[in-house]
Amino acid sequence: MSPNQIHNEQELLLRIAEGDEKAFRVLFDQYWEPLYAATLTLVKAKEPARDLLQEVFLKIWNLRTQLPEKENVRNFIYIVARNHIYNELRKKSHEEAFTESIIRHFAEKSDSALEQLIHKEARQVLNEAVSQLPEQQRLVYQLAREQGLSQQEIASRLQISLSTVKTHMSRALTAIRDYILQQAHVAILLQILVGELF
């Protein structure tokens, strides 16, 4: 079925709503390239971008009965895509490995002027997050991250148990992550999230 065989968008949407896979293929072909370009810009890797878009079109297929009711199908499709990608990134942001990577990213230096500017802002947000930690958590975090001490060395220096050090560090990392996610510029977070996800 080619687009010429379908007289208008409403007819196409009605066919899709009735489960016509060939009509859905027309919609798929119409929106795949622009959505792929937008997703690739975010993800910066072809295969993950394709995988995400496959999931987006599966969602659209599952929502196909709603399509004829939409006044602006293009907007609907882009909103489904945006929400799906953000949800995937949000899920990733709650994983412990991501917490470590986001803090590491905020602490690293960069070479280009733009990256230096972004990292200056990121470093400031990280410093603010650390400054708001309870005293013992902040001390444990600083000894580990700024002085490079092991958890055992921190326990000996502070004369506390190893498990207490681990608890302080875990809570500190969670608090820092939450603060960063609330304060940091969206572009910075997306850069990190996308890099870590793929």
Side-chain angles (χ1 to χ4, degrees):
M1 180 185 301
S2 73
N4 293 335
Q5 291 174 289
I6 298 178
H7 302 296
N8 59 49
E9 185 176 78
Q10 192 59 31
E11 180 186 345
L12 174 68
L13 299 179
L14 287 170
R15 289 186 183 185
I16 294 170
E18 293 169 358
D20 184 334
E21 293 179 11
K22 290 181 180 176
F24 187 72
R25 180 67 196 199
V26 173
L27 188 78
F28 180 92
D29 289 344
Q30 182 179 350
Y31 286 100
W32 177 267
E33 283 302 324
L35 278 174
Y36 178 71
T39 305
L40 187 58
T41 299
L42 271 177
V43 173
K44 302 185 187 324
K46 293 179 181 178
E47 189 171 336
R50 280 194 295 269
D51 290 346
L52 279 173
L53 270 191
Q54 292 285 351
E55 294 166 4
V56 166
F57 278 101
L58 180 60
K59 280 182 179 270
I60 293 169
W61 174 254
N62 290 335
L63 297 170
R64 65 185 178 278
T65 57
Q66 299 177 21
L67 288 172
E69 303 163 6
K70 302 297 175 189
E71 288 185 17
N72 188 328
V73 173
R74 181 183 180 280
N75 283 351
F76 174 72
I77 290 171
Y78 273 82
I79 289 169
V80 170
R82 181 200 63 194
N83 290 347
H84 179 71
I85 292 168
Y86 285 170
N87 285 339
E88 291 302 309
L89 296 175
R90 193 172 296 117
K91 285 179 198 170
K92 183 72 180 172
S93 75
H94 292 290
E95 295 177 6
E96 189 170 327
F98 174 74
T99 298
E100 290 284 348
S101 66
I102 194 171
I103 292 171
R104 187 175 57 251
H105 177 87
F106 273 60
E108 290 176 347
K109 295 180 180 175
S110 298
D111 296 330
S112 76
L114 178 60
E115 287 180 341
Q116 286 178 9
L117 184 65
I118 290 172
H119 281 275
K120 182 180 176 184
E121 180 185 340
R123 183 73 199 185
Q124 183 177 347
V125 172
L126 176 59
N127 289 340
E128 290 169 5
V130 172
S131 73
Q132 296 191 9
L133 293 173
E135 183 178 347
Q136 197 73 349
Q137 286 180 25
R138 183 173 61 250
L139 186 56
V140 167
Y141 176 83
Q142 289 173 330
L143 289 172
R145 297 304 166 93
E146 296 173 9
Q147 297 187 27
L149 298 183
S150 69
Q151 292 186 338
Q152 186 61 56
E153 290 170 326
I154 295 169
S156 296
R157 181 177 286 193
L158 299 180
Q159 297 181 340
I160 57 178
S161 71
L162 181 60
S163 66
T164 301
V165 172
K166 289 179 179 179
T167 300
H168 284 315
M169 193 63 182
S170 175
R171 290 178 179 166
L173 293 176
T174 299
I176 291 169
R177 180 202 63 199
D178 291 346
Y179 184 86
I180 287 173
L181 291 175
Q182 290 173 1
Q183 301 298 320
H185 190 276
V186 172
I188 297 172
L189 290 177
L190 276 177
Q191 179 188 6
I192 301 163
L193 288 165
V194 166
E196 290 304 318
L197 186 57
F198 304 106

